[in-house]
Amino acid sequence: MNDSAVAARIARTVRADIRALTAYPVAQAAGCIKLDAMECPYPLPDTVRDAIAATAREAELNRYPASDQQALKAEVAAAFGVPAGAGLLFGNGSDELIHLLIQACCEPGDTVLSPWPSFVYFDMAARFDHARFEAVPLTSDLELDLPAMLAAIERTQPKVVFLAVPNNPTGGTWTEPQIRAILAAAPGLVVIDEAYQPFADGTWMPELLAQPNLVVMRTVSKIGLAGLRFGYLAGHPAWIAEIDKVRPPYNLDVLSQAVLRTVLRHKDVLDAQAARLRADRAPLARALAALPGVQVYPSGGNFILARFSGQPDGNAVHLALKTRKILVRNFSAAHPLLAGCLRISVGTPDENAALLAALQDILSSES
Ligand code: PMP
């Protein structure tokens, strides 16, 4: 194979900004305690697995997925409290919905805006889809900077504003008056990304039909189904109809749809798991905050952002945990506001205890 000929052809074919990127990092996790991706650590119980096996057996894999998703839509609306009269759009994970929103709204060069740091894929998807990404820095204590948001909205007239509520990776939840001010100021669409809503209080769902420019996006990834790749967007049917036009026709596969319908009949299991993680968050946060040199930020998600300001620093702690086969996400180099910060998913009680024991060891042995 002629590698240099391929490299030359790539250099004049693939976009320069894409060539300069590194792919989204997904850590090797075999044999590790996995606290890096906000997954639910609890597997589905056997009763649900048996029901899934029976559904999968019936799935018509020789056919494309049916275009009529009315039954699934009704079940999703009932399970997740989507208000009557709102439209629904499904995505292959909410990652795909982020693309569809930008593609439907943005001409090349139009602005997509979000407080920052937030979910990194808002920025990536905007750039992939030829939009311009405007990051509005959070305050030094990682709160929303409302005056800066309103000024940036006025200056850049964004087509799409993404607000992750609660926010990833900081865990903060923007207040109702802050969000109302943004909705009032935004000239285009405001997407409230409620990926972590099951671990927080409140939702913007009931407001969907009362606001002219609001849609709410959710995912099942954080409540036990990250492997399924299913996200949903709820909004006024007229907004949903426009965004639906850029959806690849068969974006949700037959198996995922069938499995989702089965699992939703056991939604109490998912709810109980989420409640357990939510209850275990506060004790974990307290224990982390009690470690020397560690600052913990309030979190409405199934994760905690912790800043390691002493020695060893965030990078060294991240590495030392990895050596002990405990994976957390290192944000130290991601943004100046996150210097020394690690994002730690809430795990099972045993996993949380193993993490705390390892951190105690790491912080005492090297200080
Ligand atoms: N929104 C936020 C705020 C997230 O943190 C994530 C996942 N990290 C997503 C969306 C993507 O979720 P999905 O797995 O549904 O693509």
Side-chain angles (χ1 to χ4, degrees):
M1 215 193 344
N2 187 342
D3 289 350
S4 62
V6 171
R9 197 59 67 98
I10 285 174
R12 65 168 189 264
T13 308
V14 176
R15 283 163 46 175
D17 59 335
I18 302 296
R19 279 187 276 124
L21 288 178
T22 43
Y24 191 91
V26 179
Q28 293 294 324
C32 294
I33 294 181
K34 208 170 169 314
L35 304 176
D36 62 335
M38 288 92 78
E39 294 143 325
C40 173
Y42 300 107
L44 291 170
D46 282 345
T47 43
V48 181
R49 287 165 179 259
D50 289 345
I52 289 172
T55 340
R57 209 177 159 281
E58 299 307 315
E60 290 199 333
L61 291 175
N62 56 320
R63 301 289 178 201
Y64 280 112
S67 62
D68 174 18
Q69 295 176 325
Q70 286 319 312
L72 184 58
K73 284 186 178 165
E75 284 165 19
V76 166
F80 295 111
V82 178
L88 269 174
L89 177 67
F90 297 151
N92 195 255
S94 38
D95 288 344
E96 184 182 49
L97 293 171
I98 294 168
H99 276 294
L100 301 185
L101 285 156
I102 297 170
Q103 287 167 4
C105 296
C106 293
E107 310 276 358
D110 278 347
T111 296
V112 171
L113 182 147
S114 175
W116 211 247
S118 185
F119 183 36
V120 67
Y121 206 66
F122 298 151
D123 178 357
M124 290 170 67
R127 287 199 267 162
F128 296 164
D129 296 336
H130 302 279
R132 203 186 68 79
F133 186 72
E134 179 79 17
V136 182
L138 300 177
T139 63
S140 57
D141 51 1
L142 303 184
E143 293 291 340
L144 190 77
D145 188 341
L146 185 61
M149 283 291 290
L150 297 180
I153 288 171
E154 172 67 24
R155 182 169 45 81
T156 65
Q157 295 291 298
K159 284 287 185 72
V160 185
V161 175
F162 283 104
L163 297 175
V165 187
N167 189 43
N168 166 26
T170 61
T173 302
W174 318 141
T175 66
E176 182 176 334
Q178 288 172 329
I179 293 175
R180 284 199 190 282
I182 291 168
L183 281 166
L189 186 60
V190 177
V191 183
I192 301 198
D193 180 349
E194 292 190 347
Y196 301 98
Q197 185 276 338
F199 312 100
D201 298 317
T203 168
W204 283 83
M205 280 286 179
E207 283 283 315
L208 280 181
L209 301 175
Q211 302 285 340
N213 59 344
L214 169 66
V215 291
V216 170
M217 186 169 72
R218 299 245 191 97
T219 175
V220 297
S221 295
K222 318 299 170 187
I223 56 168
L225 300 170
L228 198 66
R229 310 308 300 131
F230 178 81
Y232 57 99
L233 185 76
H236 189 288
W239 274 114
I240 296 297
E242 293 302 326
I243 298 153
D244 191 39
K245 293 176 187 170
V246 294
R247 180 177 60 86
Y250 305 116
N251 64 332
L252 272 199
D253 66 88
V254 166
L255 270 180
S256 295
Q257 295 191 47
V259 170
L260 182 67
R261 290 183 72 176
T262 304
V263 178
L264 287 185
R265 281 177 207 130
H266 303 269
K267 182 157 174 289
D268 54 320
V269 171
L270 306 185
D271 291 341
Q273 291 177 342
R276 177 74 219 235
L277 292 172
R278 188 178 168 164
D280 288 343
R281 177 178 64 203
L284 178 60
R286 275 198 298 277
L288 287 168
L291 294 168
V294 178
Q295 183 189 359
V296 163
Y297 291 89
S299 174
N302 58 340
F303 60 89
I304 292 161
L305 189 77
R307 195 186 296 273
F308 293 74
S309 320
Q311 280 303 322
D313 66 3
N315 285 322
V317 171
H318 175 248
L319 255 181
L321 285 173
K322 202 167 167 187
T323 312
R324 288 165 169 80
K325 290 193 163 298
I326 300 177
L327 301 181
V328 300
R329 188 72 183 267
N330 183 11
F331 280 88
S332 298
H335 191 281
L337 285 169
L338 299 180
C341 284
L342 303 182
R343 189 195 61 202
I344 301 165
S345 310
V346 181
T348 65
D350 283 352
E351 290 173 337
N352 299 337
L355 168 85
L356 289 167
L359 284 174
Q360 250 138 17
D361 189 34
I362 292 163
L363 293 173
S364 63
S365 66
E366 295 179 46
S367 58

